[in-house]
Amino acid sequence: MKPVFKGTYAFKTDIGKVRVSNEDQAYVQLNSDGEVFLIVCDGMGGQNKGDYASKMAIDSMLDSFAHKSPHVPSLLRKTWITNAVKKANAIIFDEADKNPIYKDMGTTLVAAWIVKDKLVLANVGDSRCYALRNDALVRLSEDQTYVDFLYRTGKISESQTLSHPERHVLMNALGIYPSASVDVKVIAYHGEPILLCSDGLYNNVAENEIRSLISTDERADQKALSLINEANNNGGSDNIAVAYWEPIK
């Protein structure tokens, strides 16, 4: 029989030290079947645009999770999360299309759905999903940015990605086009801690420091706060969002 993992979780956002508004959203939702759903969105388009786009994305995804059929067959899990993301995309795009105030708004989205021994991951943009495996921080998602494309195609080195002048240019976002392109994968899950975050965290806190902060004996909510505090201590150059899940040993 496949295991159902019990655990603790936390989600938190912060405006950071530079931005005038907070366009990030984060949430963690559990259901009665023991499934865990984590999501982080990083809005774009400026005040009253990015924050609205990210909130609509979160609300739509949580509604889809709350109303999905129980026990989705394993062969249909990728389809379910893809359809949920496309529904969120349509809601954002339609709102921007009919209301000039919200023209050109959009958001990144990373969502992790833990179903027993599987993690179903959906990604649009450059928010990230990490797993803590054997005391190593492993990135499960791929940034959909111009610079990451250059790196993956061998045009630049990994070290060059950190300082490239176009490192923040997205190649994909939710709500910008009528249809959404979603990167979806299913990964074996063995009860490891899972962290979702916006670029406001990983651009201000090195991955080895993220690993150290979530490897402590602190409670989940304390770890989330420590991550955000460290990002702000290092400049807080952007909004920060984290969603964290930690199974009980």
Side-chain angles (χ1 to χ4, degrees):
M1 185 175 181
K2 295 179 180 178
V4 173
F5 296 96
K6 296 181 179 180
T8 60
Y9 63 89
F11 54 91
K12 188 172 178 60
T13 70
D14 191 87
I15 194 171
K17 297 293 187 181
V18 175
R19 303 296 187 183
V20 297
S21 62
N22 189 354
E23 298 179 316
D24 284 9
Q25 297 274 345
Y27 210 87
V28 180
Q29 183 70 59
L30 280 64
N31 65 16
S32 58
D33 296 319
E35 299 173 353
V36 184
F37 192 69
L38 304 94
I39 183 167
V40 161
C41 292
D42 180 356
M44 63 195 72
Q47 190 175 7
N48 297 327
K49 291 185 179 181
D51 52 352
Y52 189 37
S54 60
K55 185 178 187 306
M56 282 195 292
I58 289 272
D59 289 347
S60 177
M61 293 295 291
L62 292 176
D63 181 72
S64 293
F65 182 68
H67 292 94
K68 75 173 181 64
S69 300
H71 312 301
V72 176
S74 57
L75 291 177
L76 297 180
R77 289 170 184 164
K78 290 178 70 173
T79 300
W80 176 84
I81 203 166
T82 298
N83 288 340
V85 175
K86 289 186 174 183
K87 175 186 171 185
N89 182 84
I91 290 172
I92 299 168
F93 181 83
D94 290 348
E95 181 67 17
D97 188 52
K98 71 182 182 183
N99 192 336
I101 295 174
Y102 299 118
K103 186 177 185 298
D104 298 326
M105 70 175 173
T107 183
T108 70
L109 179 147
V110 62
W113 174 28
I114 301 173
V115 192
K116 296 182 178 178
D117 63 347
K118 294 291 187 290
L119 186 149
V120 186
L121 178 64
N123 181 49
V124 179
D126 65 349
S127 293
R128 291 181 179 177
C129 176
Y130 291 101
L132 186 65
R133 293 177 175 167
N134 301 318
D135 202 37
L137 191 70
V138 180
R139 193 199 310 178
L140 303 181
S141 59
E142 291 183 354
D143 294 347
Q144 296 175 345
T145 62
Y146 177 61
V147 164
D148 198 66
F149 168 76
L150 292 177
Y151 168 64
R152 285 186 281 109
T153 54
K155 301 294 193 299
I156 61 175
S157 66
E158 184 174 8
S159 61
Q160 287 176 304
T161 65
L162 301 176
S163 58
H164 196 284
E166 296 182 285
R167 63 187 180 279
H168 301 303
V169 177
L170 291 175
M171 295 187 68
N172 194 16
L174 207 64
I176 303 298
Y177 302 107
S179 60
S181 174
V182 192
D183 181 17
V184 178
K185 61 181 72 172
V186 178
I187 302 163
Y189 181 69
H190 304 290
E192 55 267 51
I194 299 294
L195 171 69
L196 271 56
C197 66
S198 64
D199 62 348
L201 180 71
Y202 66 76
N203 281 336
N204 286 285
V205 185
E207 290 185 349
N208 64 329
E209 183 63 17
I210 293 175
R211 180 199 61 77
S212 296
L213 290 170
I214 63 175
S215 298
T216 68
D217 292 328
E218 291 184 321
R219 299 193 313 264
D221 60 333
Q222 293 172 320
K223 292 180 181 182
L225 182 59
S226 294
L227 289 167
I228 286 175
N229 286 342
E230 189 64 17
N232 280 325
N233 289 340
N234 292 336
S237 61
D238 203 348
N239 304 151
I240 311 148
V242 299
Y244 180 71
W245 161 258
E246 183 175 272
I248 298 172
K249 302 296 184 183

